[in-house]
């Protein structure tokens, strides 16, 4: 068992070790963060070195390095420690802290859900009752919004009363795209195109000639044309020629980024030869994220 002071020293050592790009950390640096006498840190380090929890490095650029046992003592996976999972308070990212582990408890309980958040960095800047946003995590882009209901300074843990949880599935776009691609012929007039869109219950479709995507026509384009008394125009005069496609194996987080960046509601999914395979919309993604698919 380790004392709270020893655990705090290890936590700060690992934190400074990472921030310094993995160079040895001097005892004075740890003492400065903890606001303690450097001699106290040296004494504790001698004990931790005897347990092979830390390693001493001699020389002018020497200091202390955490061993694998140090990470295990604090229940930190080395691979997790490398990832950067941010925490936001009042909409602003909290600097010099990252999440190393997230665990959920009492999920089935009707009163709510709690999350235990292991934090690397200065945990004392978080206070009970504060609202936090944790994430996104590297793979599934998990984001947790909640209120702090507990704080353990010894093990650097925050306990959150979870308000909501969001996640983007780590799936390829083709897995959720509609592969029964409805297309429009460039020679169609507005009436024909409007009938196809409404009869299939969709808001837009690509205009395709052979395997070439010429543009995208939406119900909004058709409505504007009718309002301007241009209902006899060919759809090639109305369609948007600003075409953005996405390869079939691209993951959903990148797809969402592309949609938001270009302020559009749909993307054409293509294969490696740019042949259209399907279409994905924001609604498709929201339905998958919310688990609204019926089975």
């Amino acid at each position: 068992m380790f004392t709270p002071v020893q655990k705090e020293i290890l936590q700060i050592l690992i934190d400074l070790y990472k921030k310094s790009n993995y160079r040895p950390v001097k005892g004075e640096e740890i003492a400065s963060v903890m606001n303690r006498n450097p001699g106290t840190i040296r004494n504790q380090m001698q004990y931790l070195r005897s347990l092979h929890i830390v390693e001493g490095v001699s020389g002018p650029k020497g200091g202390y390095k955490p061993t694998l046992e140090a990470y295990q003592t604090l229940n930190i996976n080395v691979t997790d420690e490398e990832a950067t999972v941010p925490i936001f308070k009042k909409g602003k990212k909290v600097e010099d802290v990252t999440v190393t582990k997230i665990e959920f408890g009492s999920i089935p309980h009707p009163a709510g859900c709690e999350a235990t958040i292991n934090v690397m960095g200065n945990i004392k800047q978080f206070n009970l009752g504060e609202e936090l946003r944790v994430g996104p995590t590297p793979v599934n882009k998990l984001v947790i919004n909640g209120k702090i209901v507990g704080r353990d300074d010894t093990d650097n843990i925050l306990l959150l009363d979870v308000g909501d949880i969001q996640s983007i599935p780590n799936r390829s776009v083709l897995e959720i795209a509609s592969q029964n691609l409805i297309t429009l012929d460039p020679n169609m007039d507005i009436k024909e195109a409007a009938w196809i869109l409404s009869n299939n219950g969709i808001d837009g479709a690509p205009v395709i000639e052979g395997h070439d995507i010429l543009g995208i026509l939406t119900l909004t384009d058709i409505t504007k044309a009718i309002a301007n008394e241009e209902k006899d125009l060919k759809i090639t005069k109305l369609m948007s020629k600003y075409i953005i496609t996405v390869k079939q194996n691209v993951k959903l987080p990148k797809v969402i980024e592309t949609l938001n960046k270009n302020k559009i509601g749909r993307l054409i999914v293509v294969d490696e030869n740019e042949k259209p395979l399907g279409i994905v919309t924001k609604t498709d993604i929201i339905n998958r994220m919310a688990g609204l698919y019926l089975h």
Side-chain angles (χ1 to χ4, degrees):
M1 296 293 294
F2 294 90
T3 66
V5 171
Q6 290 166 346
K7 284 188 175 182
E8 186 176 3
I9 288 173
L10 287 179
Q11 190 81 44
I12 293 172
L13 171 62
I14 292 173
D15 189 32
L16 292 177
Y17 184 61
K18 177 184 176 183
K19 290 177 184 176
S20 66
N21 200 24
Y22 308 103
R23 68 162 177 78
V25 178
K26 295 186 179 300
E28 289 80 3
E29 297 177 77
I30 299 174
S32 177
V33 174
M34 295 182 64
N35 195 26
R36 287 180 175 266
N37 188 294
T40 301
I41 303 301
R42 284 194 293 271
N43 291 337
Q44 293 292 341
M45 283 302 187
Q46 288 180 2
Y47 174 71
L48 294 173
R49 285 180 64 184
S50 68
L51 298 177
H52 306 289
I53 301 297
V54 302
E55 176 184 343
V57 180
S58 59
K61 295 184 179 180
Y64 303 99
K65 296 167 57 177
T67 65
L68 181 61
E69 285 79 2
Y71 291 92
Q72 293 173 342
T73 298
L74 297 178
N75 294 317
I76 298 174
N77 292 327
V78 177
T79 53
D80 288 342
E81 195 272 335
E82 295 293 336
T84 299
V85 179
I87 297 179
F88 294 83
K89 183 167 64 173
K90 295 181 179 179
K92 294 184 178 180
K93 181 181 177 182
V94 181
E95 299 297 333
D96 299 327
V97 297
T98 186
V99 175
T100 59
K101 189 176 182 181
I102 300 173
E103 292 183 328
F104 293 100
S106 66
I107 290 178
H109 196 281
C113 170
E114 291 183 346
T116 302
I117 313 294
N118 291 66
V119 179
M120 176 71 68
N122 179 15
I123 199 175
K124 295 180 180 179
Q125 60 188 305
F126 301 106
N127 301 307
L128 296 182
E130 287 183 327
E131 297 279 351
L132 296 183
R133 185 170 88 247
V134 177
T137 56
V139 179
N140 281 66
K141 304 300 180 184
L142 180 72
V143 175
I144 302 169
N145 292 289
K147 180 185 294 185
I148 301 175
V149 293
R151 191 185 80 190
D152 185 338
D153 295 345
T154 301
D155 292 324
N156 255 42
I157 291 174
L158 294 174
L159 183 63
L160 292 189
D161 181 14
V162 177
D164 63 82
I165 303 172
Q166 304 158 12
S167 178
I168 303 175
N170 189 34
R171 304 281 187 175
S172 69
V173 63
L174 191 61
E175 291 182 67
I176 70 163
S178 173
Q179 298 182 44
N180 182 24
L181 186 60
I182 307 299
T183 65
L184 302 174
D185 187 277
N187 296 314
M188 287 180 178
D189 58 27
I190 294 176
K191 184 177 180 181
E192 291 177 282
W195 186 89
I196 290 176
L197 295 181
S198 61
N199 193 52
N200 287 280
I202 57 178
D203 294 327
V207 181
I208 292 181
E209 189 171 44
H211 292 320
D212 296 329
I213 306 171
L214 305 181
I216 293 181
L217 183 76
T218 67
L219 288 177
T220 301
D221 298 324
I222 293 174
T223 302
K224 288 181 179 178
I226 294 174
N228 294 327
E229 298 183 350
E230 297 175 326
K231 57 184 179 180
D232 294 326
L233 288 178
K234 294 294 183 183
I235 61 175
T236 50
K237 299 292 185 180
L238 304 175
M239 68 183 185
S240 170
K241 297 180 181 178
Y242 181 59
I243 306 166
I244 299 179
T245 62
V246 60
K247 291 291 195 298
Q248 61 183 344
N249 57 351
V250 172
K251 301 296 184 181
L252 289 187
K254 183 64 177 178
V255 173
I256 293 175
E257 181 183 329
T258 302
L259 288 169
N260 291 336
K261 180 180 178 181
N262 293 279
K263 298 180 180 179
I264 54 178
R266 55 186 56 79
L267 289 170
I268 306 299
V269 182
V270 298
D271 64 14
E272 296 302 319
N273 297 315
E274 297 296 326
K275 178 183 176 181
L277 300 175
I279 190 168
V280 64
T281 67
K282 283 186 176 181
T283 301
D284 295 329
I285 297 172
I286 291 171
N287 285 347
R288 173 54 68 94
M289 289 173 63
L292 296 179
Y293 283 136
L294 300 177
H295 298 282

